[in-house]
Structure formats: structure tokens, C-alpha cells
Amino acid sequence: MLKIRKPQLNLLEKLTNATAVSGDEGAIRKIVRVEVENIADEIKTDAMGNLLVTKRGKGRNRLKIMLAAHMDEIGFMLVNKESDGFFQFAPLGGMDPRQLAGKPVWVGREKVPGVIGAAPIHLVSPGQYNSTIPIASLRIDVGLGKPNVKVGDRATFATKFLRMGDSIRAKALDDRLGVAILIELLKNAPANIDLLAAFTVQEELGLRGAKVAAHALDPDLALAIDSTPALDFPVHDGSENIRYNTKLGAGPAIYTVDGRTLSDPRIIRWLSETGDAKKIPYQYRQPGSGGTDAGSIHISRAGIPTGSVSVPGRYAHSAMGLCRIKDWENTLNLLHAALSDLSPDILKEAR
Amino acid sequence: MKTDFLKSLLSSSGLSGFEIPVAELIKEKWASLTDELDQSALGSLHGLKRGSGKGHSVMIATHMDAIGLIVSKVSGEFLHVANLGGIDIRVLPGQAVIVHSERGDLSGIIAQPPAHLLPEGEAKGAVALKHLLIDVGLSARQVARKIKIGDTVSFATEPTEMSGGLLAGHSLDNRASVAALTLCLEELQSRDHIWDVWAAATVQEEIGHMGASTSAFQIRPDIAIAVNVTFAKGPGATNWETFELGSGPTIGLGAVNHPFLHQQFKELAEKLEIPFGIEILPGRSGTDGDDLQISVEGIPTIVISIPIRYMHTPVEVVATKDIQRTARLLTEFVAMLDADFLEKIVWDD
Amino acid sequence: MKPLIKKLTETFSPSGYENAIREVITDEIKDFADEIRVDALGNLIARKGSGGKKIMIAAHMDEIGLIVNHVDEKGFARFSPLGTFLPHTLVGARVRFLNGAYGVVGAEYLKKETQTKLAPLDKMFIDTGATSPKDSPVKIGDVAALERPFHDLGKRLIAKSMDNRVSVAVLIETMRKLKTTAHEVYFVFTTQEEVQVRGAITSAFGIAPEIGIAIDICPVGDTPDSAKKEVSLGKGVSIKIKDPLMIADPRIVTWMIKAAEKANIPYQREVSTLGSTDARAIQVAGAGAMVGGISIPCRYVHSPSEMVDYDDVQNTVKLLITLLEKKIEL
């Protein structure tokens, strides 16, 4: 079994503190490249910015397995500078406007500090005390003087990685957890397969990078590795929470159905049976909406058998997420064990 | 401006009614700057910097408490909270916080449960505080062992320097004023002054100015100055109540402010060429000044304010030069107080 | 064809879980195809003929279904839809799980003041007779389809999953009756149509046809106070001109209409404001193709009991054979 120890934690810290809003994933691409360039058989950046890394196995009848983890994170773009120096901004990726006001941000590649400001509560009418502050009323404030900031710059929440006991608090755990897992799988690549690692771009804008990555790699089978919300909160009236999506601490979340993909039943069986056999805890993500890179991958070319596995995480798409280190480790091990046991016969099973 | 002391104030908790951590920091700093230092029954700090004259004293009050949250209930892994002071619920979801437990500080996140787990109607708009939760990343068992009802929860935003000599952080209301008063005390070390100066770091301003009224009763100053923060211009904040950030302190005008003191401060600032604004405070000011004025037999009072952006959010922003200007204005005012000053405070009828 | 339609509509195969229906179809067509294969998404692709134009005729074989997303403390199975359901048709419906379990759909909102309100799907549940997760015959991820027998009313037929098993029957019948063709025709029984026409996307890319025709059902406007729509049950094959997501290639529309008129096959012109079909996916796959659609008028679409007219069904077969037999001039 693989372990999450200091080096892995340090790498996730580096990955989550770096900023890579959809469309500007260079910072993560750079970190990943450094991590894997000595072990990769092939490494290239495609036209959209996807980093495609090949690690070949040995022996005959090797399946070509595409593993995708997206490098991009949600964030903002500065869209207009007003005469008083404040910037209007647009969100990139899905966000609840209630999660924005009063947060520190990093602007641009140099991470210029700023804050998301709104009128103080004292100056709004009492009728507005309990309402959402619309994004149109919020501004990014980067201070006085001449900071190196301009329209078109991207911004992220300014959240630093923090270990909290058995948990981690950081921004962009969606999907730096996936990126960290994929790097670890490359470093411990099973020899029975050709591992085609796709560190994808623009997932948060509609699974855009994975589409071309899958077309280029043309794999026999694919998995998207992501982080999915754990909504395992108490219900206001004390009733049973029947819509939790996933539960923190319950292990990797195997996808059956989401808004973009019906996972290949053979893949669901393969992953579940691996978990049962190796005694690695896992859970099924509640069938529902949402989507991962699998949504693009499985309908590429003439179709690719595809599934998704996610690390459960709370508070995705806000300033800071929270995950359990054990869930991360179990996800890594479920994938590693499943890939190590994978036989080409899986494609001969009834779908 | 050296911001180390202010940053340490911003990084300390000391919520309304629970001021001990921040009081300790201030006590340590003021020990060498004052001749006497003690604490009121409610916990306000009183530091006396003696003047060369006899008897007359000016009290400069800055509240040191900060708004925050307090644990009201534990549900498994999650904490329910109530407010300490005027919390703006619109800015709470997704904020980093620190839970101050007897077993040490614990980092956490303010969680907004998804709409489908809230009562119908809570899906839109800001979610009420009673439905927000704190997640400290621990199991239910660990939470039960470490956290008790009544533990305080403060914002955890790190103080951050921004372009143009700005500082962002939570609790600049009113620790920016505490920093200004401290700077004033430092400047007074090398200045002659006749009047005694009572520096007060008051408690419980955010829940009703409790500290100021009791401190004034105890100190019985001849003049009181409340130093607080006011609104800087910003997104959605452009009306007559707002001032440009970095345009200097404001001098209060209105019922709480004695007209003579107002005039004196204004003339002093003009003479010193310190930029300033006039803060119109028609009735009550919402500061310690309101209670200083009506203490004992009544005290001539003035409210001096430092403009900050985004008041009562975890990312309040101040221009550090406004803190320096406020300190200088206070210092020069103290220095100009002569033996006859009190007699000059009359009503111009 | 009626026994075939009965057999097809009484098979349970929701989107993504088309194994059972694929086996039934394979059995029916194996003697009439030159080549049969199954692609990665489970599309069943049967070629007949060679030379001439490369034509893809698609009928989706999946049906709408339900997937369990949680079994609650009392044993009620909460579910998500596979495809689109109209909530008012579901309460009281019976379902059958692929593992053989049965259940009935119930809904919250049984308080007096809310009785008349329509419960959304997330307030519904499947009662499998279980009293706790322990004795539940189903678990998260298990899939069910509606359970309703086929009824022959003479001219009209009622069944669940008439959408789109009636078109599957049409394709099978066409393959049987089409003695010769001048073309390379791919009969494709597609998967996952009810979830954003995904099977057609990949099968069309794999085949790369010049001409594509999607066969599906279409809602009608001939029931009391129904939506305004010119298409009626029993008035002939519906030739698609437009739906919300695709405009049929005018050359294909003209070809179909001319053929129908020449062969005296009754037809209706369809401009649909609701729903779409595999046609869109085929049209934009790869470098694109000339694509049209033929629809069988159908009442009560996406309910547990969908109704078609048997004449319309037979006419659709006739039109397809007419189109495929001869050389095509577009």
C-alpha cells in the first residue's frame, strides 16, 4: 500500500498554494513537469495546454489507460477598472455569490494581494441585511499606488494550505488532489499497462481540455480522478440527510451516474471488486448531477469506456475546501491496486 | 510605519467580553510607556502618562474588543454559533476561523450547508447565523473532547500588506485606533505636556460601549477623546458618511462632540497641515464617545476616526499613514493643553 | 410486428444498462446482417449491403429509468432519474430493478395542506417493501425501469418504452424485409439517447456516414387540450423538418417526401418544439453528415404508458424500405 507522508503533503501544499485559474494553468503545469519529467517516456503540452505524460509498461497486450486530473481551479478575471481604482470581476467556474464578499484574494501571476470588498453592513438598508450581495456590487480592491495589476488578470482566493489534524484545509483541492494522485501513480506506475496521464485544462469551464486530450490519446479505457463534494451536514430539522453526495472519511467515491456520464458498468464492478478484495474502503457517489472530465472523454472518437473516482471534499468552489488525508490515501491505493490487477479481458465482459 | 505591533493585535483574539489575549499584548506594550497601568473591574486597561501640571487629565479611549462568534451547540463534527457583536452574516460563509478552546486554538471553516438541507426559503439570500456551522476538520469524538459551549471563534484572516501602504485584516475596527494611541504614547515620551493623559483600551464596545462608561466613571477625566474607525469610500460606499482612504483622520461634528473641542482639533490639524475630514455625526455616534460624554457629571468629548474600508468584514483595509496622522494629531493636542484650557471650554451662546 | 413490439417493450434496459435489449435485438437481426459489432458505449451496429452511399439509420434502444441514490433509515430507496420524467406520471408507478426486485413509487407531501402540490422527483422514493437499509433488496447505484405490460388495442398499441422500442421494431422489420440495397447501410441501435444522445455521438463518429436518419417517436398534439402541434396519431409517418436542437438537411427532407408521395405512404410534416433525437448527434459528428429524422407519432411520451398507431408503425417500415432500396439522388 502506498502512503501519504511528508513528501506527498509537501507536494499538495505546493499544488494548492499555486494559482491556476481555468485558461491559465501554467503554474501547475510547471510543477507537474518537474515532478514527472525524469520518469516519463513522453511528455508534451498540447495546443490547449493539457500536459500529456506517457509512462509505458512492459510485456504484451498492455491496455492504454488514460487517467485525467484537471489542473485548473475556479477563480476570477478582472474585467473592468473603474475610475476609483476598483476592479469589476467575473467568476470563472461555478460559484455561489454568497461565498465571495470579505475574502482576501491573490491577483495575477505575481499573487498581488487584494480583497473582495462590498459596502459595509452599516451603510446598507435594513432590507438588505439578509440578502445576497450580487457579484455586480462586489469589487476587487488591490490597494492604492500602482500595483502590478490590470484588466484581464486572473485572481484566486488567497488561501494557504493548512494541515488540521487528520484533515487538510486549502483552496483548489478540486482538483489538486487528483493532480497529486496522478503524479503519485506515475511515480508508481504498474507495469501491466501503458499509463497515459492527462493533466487537463479548463475542466471548470465545461470539461474542455479533456475533450481534445482524449481524442489525441485514444485510450482503451479511461478514468477521471477528481474531488467531489461531501455534503454530509446535519439537516436543519434533525432529519436524516438523504442528499449528502458523499461522506467525508468513507473512502474514494466511485461514480455510477452524474450529469454528464453513465459510468461504464464494467469499470464500476472492477473498482468495487478491487476495493472489496484489498479491503480498501470506498463509497458510491450518489447518482445525480455534476460532471467530471469523464463526461468529455467517454464520448470522444467512437467512444471510450470511462469511469470516475473522486476524493470526497467539503466546500469545493469556495475559498477553502477540507478533506481527510485518509480519503486521499485510500483513493490513491484503490486506483493503484485496480490498475495493477487490470486485465484486457475487462473489455470482453458484457457492458 | 512599523506595523509589527498592529499586526500582533490583529492576529490576537480578544472578542467582546473575552478581551484578555489582546489586553495582555497591550499591557506589555504600554508598561514602559505609562507611569501607572491598571485594569477596571470589566477589564479595560487604564494607562496613566503623567503630565507636568496638577490635576487636569484627558482620557483617550480606544476599544480593543473585536466582533466574533461563540459556540452555542455541538452537533457531531460541527459547531453551531451565536454572534458576539454586530456580525455581518453576508460575509460569513467560507471564512477561515479559529476556535479558541481550553485545549488550544483550532483552525476551522464557516460552513454554509447546501440549500436542500436548509428550511425552505433559506435557499436564497444570506443564510441565517443559526444555520451556519463551523467545521474544524476533526471527528465527532475529537470535537466532543476538545470543544465546549462558550468557546469563542475569531476570524483567522492573516494581516496582509497591500499596495500603497495599506494593511488588510480583521479587527482593524478598532485595533487600528489602539495602534494610533500607542504611537501617541510613544511620541509623548519625548514631549513636554502639562495635562495627565489616561490611555484607555476599553472592553465590550461592540456589544454596547460597556467599557467606556465604566472607565470614564473611574478615571473622571476633564476631557474625553474617543478614537474609532469610520467608513472609507469603496464599492457601494460613496455617500456623505464616507471618506477617501488615506485622506487623514476625521474630526467629529454633532451632538456628541463638544463644539469647542471640534474647533480646536480643526485649527490644530490645519496648523500642522495634517489632512483631515469632518465627520458629520448628527446624533449618537455609535462609538465609545456616546458613553464617555454622559459619564459622571458629563464630560466634554470628541470623536476622532480613522477611515477603513469594508468595516466588520474579515478584510478591513486601512492606510497606515492615517494611523500615523491620527497619532500625531493626538500627540500635538495633548501637548497644546495648557493649565487654562479647561476654562476655555465654554458654550458659545 | 406486434409480438416483436411486445417483446421489445417488455424488456428492461434503461440508459447505460442496455445489455438485455441488445441481446434481444442481436437475436432478432443476426440472420439479416452482413456484419454486427458493439462499440465502447454499447451501441449495436449492424451493416447490410455495400457500395453506394454510406447510410446510418439509428434508433435508440435505451429507455428512461431510475437509479437509487440512497436507501434511507426506513428502507425507502431515494432515486435520481436516468432521462427525463414528468413527476405527475410517476407516483403510483411500479418499477422493476435489473436485479429482479420490484417497487412502487411514492411521494412526500402527504400532509393535508400540500396534498394537491406536485412533488418533485427528489421528494419521491421507491418502496421496495424494505423496512431498513439492511433488508433492502436494492442499494445505491441499482437501476430500475418502469414496469407495465404491453396491450394491443387493435389499431393502437400501449406499452412502456414505446419510446423508442417501436422504432427498434421498425429497424428490425426493415432489415428483414429489405432484400437488397444499393448502399452500405448501418442499422445502429444506439445507447444513452435519453441522457443527451451520447451513444449516437460515438457511433456516428465511428461510422462516419454520408447520410444519417434517426428513427424515434414524436409527441403529438391531438389529445384534449394538448400542446399545439400539427402531428397526430394515425395520420402517417412524421418527417422531421426541425426540432429545438437540429434542422433536418433540406435535401434529406425533400428526398423523404418525394419517396413517400411516390409510394403513396401517408406522411406528416413535423416541426417540433420539444425534445430532440439522435439526429443531432449524427449531424455534427466528425466532419458532419446530411441528416434527417423520421418519427412515429406517440401519445403520453415519457409516461409509463405510451401509445402509438399500428398503421403509422407499418408505414414507417414501408418508407424506410422505399428510401433504402434504390439509388439516391440528392
Side-chain angles (χ1 to χ4, degrees):
Chain A
M1 291 277 164
L2 304 171
K3 294 278 180 208
I4 301 301
R5 294 209 170 96
K6 196 86 187 132
Q8 288 77 19
L9 284 163
N10 288 346
L11 177 60
L12 186 66
E13 174 166 4
K14 207 194 297 181
L15 288 167
T16 53
N17 285 348
T19 61
V21 179
S22 306
D24 185 26
E25 295 86 355
I28 297 299
R29 202 159 42 233
K30 205 162 154 187
I31 296 171
V32 176
R33 197 178 258 279
V34 169
E35 288 292 322
V36 303
E37 64 192 348
N38 291 330
I39 49 173
D41 293 310
E42 264 175 53
I43 185 162
K44 76 168 214 176
T45 303
D46 75 8
M48 273 187 82
N50 294 305
L51 185 70
L52 306 178
V53 183
T54 304
K55 172 77 181 158
R56 285 191 205 92
K58 293 192 184 74
R60 298 167 64 174
N61 293 331
R62 300 190 308 267
L63 285 176
K64 291 191 293 171
I65 308 297
M66 172 178 179
L67 301 180
H70 68 90
M71 298 189 285
D72 61 317
E73 67 187 290
I74 57 126
F76 316 99
M77 182 176 271
L78 307 191
V79 295
N80 182 37
K81 185 176 184 176
E82 296 183 327
S83 55
D84 49 11
F86 297 104
F87 286 90
Q88 285 178 296
F89 62 94
L92 285 166
M95 257 179 268
D96 181 345
R98 293 174 293 188
Q99 295 280 352
L100 306 184
K103 299 275 165 49
V105 293
W106 287 320
V107 182
R109 291 182 176 184
E110 290 172 22
K111 302 216 270 193
V112 173
V115 302
I116 300 179
I121 187 87
H122 318 70
L123 299 183
V124 303
S125 63
Q128 303 293 306
Y129 287 175
N130 302 314
S131 54
T132 306
I133 311 173
I135 292 181
S137 301
L138 297 169
R139 295 292 182 272
I140 287 181
D141 176 354
V142 289
L144 305 173
K146 288 200 167 61
N148 183 15
V149 168
K150 59 188 183 308
V151 168
D153 282 355
R154 291 173 177 85
T156 66
F157 291 111
T159 306
K160 285 184 194 152
F161 176 96
L162 181 72
R163 168 98 183 250
M164 288 163 49
D166 300 331
S167 300
I168 288 166
R169 184 180 85 182
K171 74 167 176 66
L173 286 171
D174 169 11
D175 183 27
R176 304 292 152 70
L177 280 167
V179 170
I181 288 170
L182 189 43
I183 290 171
E184 212 60 27
L185 289 171
L186 278 166
K187 289 179 177 174
N188 299 278
N192 55 318
I193 56 167
D194 282 349
L195 203 168
L196 314 177
F199 297 90
T200 62
V201 297
Q202 299 191 25
E203 192 267 358
E204 300 292 0
L205 303 184
L207 325 179
R208 291 165 58 77
K211 181 172 186 283
V212 300
H215 189 97
L217 295 173
D218 195 12
D220 298 314
L221 186 150
L223 291 173
I225 309 169
D226 212 323
S227 177
T228 190
L231 306 176
D232 50 345
F233 304 104
V235 184
H236 69 94
D237 58 4
S239 61
E240 182 185 1
N241 180 352
I242 59 168
R243 288 169 65 197
Y244 44 85
N245 194 50
T246 62
K247 293 176 179 172
L248 220 60
I254 299 172
Y255 284 55
T256 53
V257 170
D258 68 18
R260 301 293 289 265
T261 316
L262 311 182
S263 298
D264 192 304
R266 296 170 292 192
I267 293 177
I268 301 172
R269 284 197 296 272
W270 163 52
L271 295 170
S272 313
E273 283 165 11
T274 304
D276 294 339
K278 308 281 179 187
K279 300 208 162 39
I280 301 168
Y282 64 89
Q283 57 186 322
Y284 293 112
R285 178 187 183 271
Q286 281 193 290
S289 57
T292 70
D293 274 343
S296 286
I297 298 167
H298 83 290
I299 51 171
S300 288
R301 291 190 176 254
I304 296 164
T306 306
S308 289
V309 178
S310 277
V311 185
R314 293 195 184 127
Y315 323 118
H317 289 212
S318 71
M320 52 193 72
L322 185 116
C323 74
R324 294 269 195 273
I325 295 170
K326 203 69 199 166
D327 285 333
W328 171 19
E329 186 174 271
N330 283 327
T331 307
L332 171 63
N333 278 311
L334 180 68
L335 288 165
H336 188 258
L339 292 168
S340 303
D341 283 350
L342 184 60
S343 141
D345 292 341
I346 188 172
L347 299 176
K348 297 187 192 120
E349 290 173 29
R351 195 181 181 282
Chain B
M1 174 183 157
K2 274 182 69 180
T3 53
D4 302 9
F5 178 59
L6 177 53
K7 281 183 184 164
S8 72
L9 293 178
L10 298 182
S11 303
S12 130
S13 64
L15 306 185
S16 303
F18 301 86
E19 292 88 355
I20 291 171
V22 70
E24 290 300 317
L25 281 174
I26 300 169
K27 214 191 268 180
E28 196 188 320
K29 187 77 176 178
W30 285 5
S32 60
L33 301 175
T34 53
D35 302 310
E36 277 176 31
L37 189 59
D38 68 357
Q39 243 164 322
S40 77
L42 265 67
S44 296
L45 273 182
H46 302 163
L48 172 63
K49 170 84 176 71
R50 245 182 226 112
S52 56
K54 279 195 196 102
H56 291 319
S57 70
V58 55
M59 173 180 178
I60 307 176
T62 59
H63 76 84
M64 62 178 163
D65 58 318
I67 56 168
L69 304 166
I70 183 165
V71 176
S72 60
K73 188 184 164 200
V74 177
S75 291
E77 292 176 27
F78 299 97
L79 316 177
H80 296 266
V81 286
N83 64 308
L84 282 174
I87 285 287
D88 181 353
I89 57 168
R90 305 171 308 157
V91 303
L92 292 184
Q95 293 289 3
V97 291
I98 296 170
V99 179
H100 305 284
S101 93
E102 280 173 25
R103 303 279 191 105
D105 285 355
L106 298 166
S107 294
I109 302 174
I110 301 180
Q112 173 189 287
H116 69 265
L117 301 180
L118 296 172
E120 267 183 79
E122 288 282 342
K124 281 184 192 146
V127 174
L129 186 59
K130 66 178 173 191
H131 295 304
L132 297 176
L133 303 165
I134 309 274
D135 184 350
V136 290
L138 301 179
S139 68
R141 235 185 55 201
Q142 291 169 310
V143 166
R145 212 179 62 224
K146 292 190 175 175
I147 296 172
K148 302 271 178 295
I149 289 172
D151 286 347
T152 59
V153 181
S154 61
F155 291 121
T157 332
E158 277 178 50
T160 305
E161 312 235 7
M162 286 170 59
S163 174
L166 307 188
L167 188 70
H170 66 87
S171 314
L172 278 169
D173 172 6
N174 189 34
R175 312 257 165 99
S177 304
V178 174
L181 176 53
T182 306
L183 203 53
C184 163
L185 288 173
E186 284 172 351
E187 289 170 1
L188 286 174
Q189 303 302 311
S190 55
R191 294 292 294 267
D192 292 330
H193 57 100
I194 297 167
W195 283 42
D196 288 348
V197 178
W198 281 101
T202 61
V203 296
Q204 301 185 32
E205 191 266 0
E206 298 289 1
I207 53 171
H209 317 170
M210 328 290 234
S213 65
T214 51
S215 288
F217 193 91
Q218 185 177 340
I219 293 169
R220 306 204 174 209
D222 296 302
I223 298 172
I225 305 169
V227 186
N228 213 322
V229 290
T230 187
F231 309 108
K233 287 193 189 301
T238 53
N239 70 2
W240 58 271
E241 295 170 272
T242 60
F243 302 86
E244 286 295 341
L245 192 70
S247 66
T250 65
I251 300 165
L253 177 69
V256 173
N257 301 276
H258 196 288
F260 180 76
L261 291 181
H262 175 84
Q263 196 58 32
Q264 290 293 308
F265 263 99
K266 198 167 153 242
E267 284 169 13
L268 180 62
E270 278 164 357
K271 192 178 107 194
L272 297 167
E273 294 182 342
I274 295 173
F276 66 94
I278 302 292
E279 185 178 25
I280 307 293
L281 299 165
R284 276 190 266 178
S285 67
T287 72
D288 273 347
D290 299 359
D291 293 82
L292 296 173
Q293 187 189 27
I294 58 168
S295 290
V296 208
E297 293 164 20
I299 300 168
T301 298
I302 183 92
V303 177
I304 304 294
S305 298
I306 303 168
I308 64 167
R309 286 178 183 158
Y310 322 124
M311 197 184 292
H312 284 204
T313 76
V315 293
E316 296 172 332
V317 174
V318 72
T320 54
K321 63 183 173 188
D322 284 345
I323 297 175
Q324 290 171 295
R325 287 160 171 166
T326 304
R328 178 148 181 257
L329 190 60
L330 292 171
T331 305
E332 296 296 339
F333 180 78
V334 169
M336 88 176 201
L337 292 170
D338 53 31
D340 307 330
F341 189 84
L342 199 57
E343 280 92 76
K344 292 183 215 156
I345 306 179
V346 290
W347 290 96
D348 174 22
D349 292 322
Chain C
M1 267 170 93
K2 285 179 181 176
L4 178 61
I5 297 172
K6 176 176 161 67
K7 191 200 267 185
L8 292 169
T9 54
E10 290 184 351
T11 301
F12 299 87
S13 269
S15 306
Y17 295 82
E18 295 93 352
N19 258 349
I21 188 71
R22 189 167 48 240
E23 277 176 27
V24 172
I25 300 169
T26 307
D27 205 43
E28 294 289 336
I29 63 170
K30 59 178 190 289
D31 299 334
F32 307 99
D34 298 333
E35 180 200 345
I36 293 181
R37 63 186 164 91
V38 178
D39 78 4
L41 260 65
N43 295 296
L44 177 63
I45 301 169
R47 181 179 58 82
K48 199 174 167 84
S50 57
K53 302 254 187 238
K54 197 176 187 186
I55 303 172
M56 171 170 171
I57 314 280
H60 72 86
M61 60 180 168
D62 60 320
E63 65 189 293
I64 52 176
L66 313 171
I67 181 164
V68 176
N69 62 32
H70 180 66
V71 178
D72 72 22
E73 289 161 347
K74 300 268 169 63
F76 295 106
R78 304 285 173 157
F79 62 90
S80 300
L82 289 170
T84 308
F85 278 96
L86 308 169
H88 64 271
T89 66
L90 260 184
V91 177
R94 297 197 196 164
V95 300
R96 183 183 142 144
F97 285 88
L98 299 188
N99 70 6
Y102 287 91
V104 58
V105 178
E108 297 178 17
Y109 280 178
L110 293 177
K111 280 172 273 175
K112 194 156 187 265
E113 60 272 23
T114 48
Q115 263 176 15
T116 51
K117 254 169 104 179
L118 185 60
L121 291 186
D122 61 6
K123 297 282 185 196
M124 294 186 184
F125 46 81
I126 302 167
D127 187 342
T128 56
T131 58
S132 76
K134 274 212 169 78
D135 67 359
S136 171
V138 300
K139 60 177 195 315
I140 182 169
D142 277 340
V143 170
L146 298 166
E147 211 263 339
R148 246 348 124 95
F150 169 89
H151 285 295
D152 178 1
L153 311 183
K155 188 167 153 50
R156 307 236 154 130
L157 314 172
I158 312 173
K160 75 150 181 73
S161 69
M162 207 54 103
D163 171 8
N164 189 31
R165 303 285 160 71
V166 68
S167 305
V168 170
V170 164
L171 246 66
I172 294 171
E173 191 68 6
T174 304
M175 288 181 73
R176 282 181 184 153
K177 287 192 171 158
L178 186 69
K179 299 296 175 222
T180 56
T181 173
H183 308 287
E184 182 180 347
V185 185
Y186 291 87
F187 293 89
V188 184
F189 302 90
T190 62
T191 58
Q192 303 190 25
E193 192 271 353
E194 298 292 359
V195 288
Q196 302 152 9
V197 302
R198 292 174 193 152
I201 295 174
T202 61
S203 52
F205 185 95
I207 292 164
E210 294 162 76
I211 292 173
I213 302 173
I215 318 292
D216 210 328
I217 55 90
C218 76
V220 290
D222 66 349
T223 53
D225 200 20
S226 65
K228 290 260 176 297
K229 197 175 177 197
E230 286 299 320
V231 177
S232 303
L233 221 58
K235 293 201 173 158
V237 181
S238 173
I239 294 175
K240 189 186 287 286
I241 294 167
K242 179 190 178 300
D243 70 31
L245 293 181
M246 71 93 67
I247 297 164
D249 194 301
R251 294 166 288 188
I252 300 289
V253 174
T254 308
W255 168 48
M256 288 176 176
I257 287 176
K258 275 188 181 160
E261 285 173 349
K262 202 167 168 193
N264 275 325
I265 299 167
Y267 73 92
Q268 314 180 62
R269 295 163 69 92
E270 181 201 347
V271 174
S272 171
T273 54
L274 193 73
S276 192
T277 72
D278 279 345
R280 173 189 160 78
I282 304 166
Q283 193 172 38
V284 298
M290 288 185 282
V291 172
I294 296 175
S295 307
I296 299 162
C298 179
R299 286 180 186 163
Y300 324 118
V301 173
H302 282 206
S303 82
S305 297
E306 298 169 324
M307 179 189 281
V308 295
D309 182 286
Y310 194 50
D311 290 341
D312 290 341
V313 178
Q314 287 172 306
N315 281 327
T316 309
V317 175
K318 269 190 218 161
L319 178 60
L320 267 181
I321 290 172
T322 309
L323 290 171
L324 296 174
E325 269 175 346
K326 301 189 191 89
K327 216 175 139 215
I328 298 170
E329 305 282 354
L330 293 172

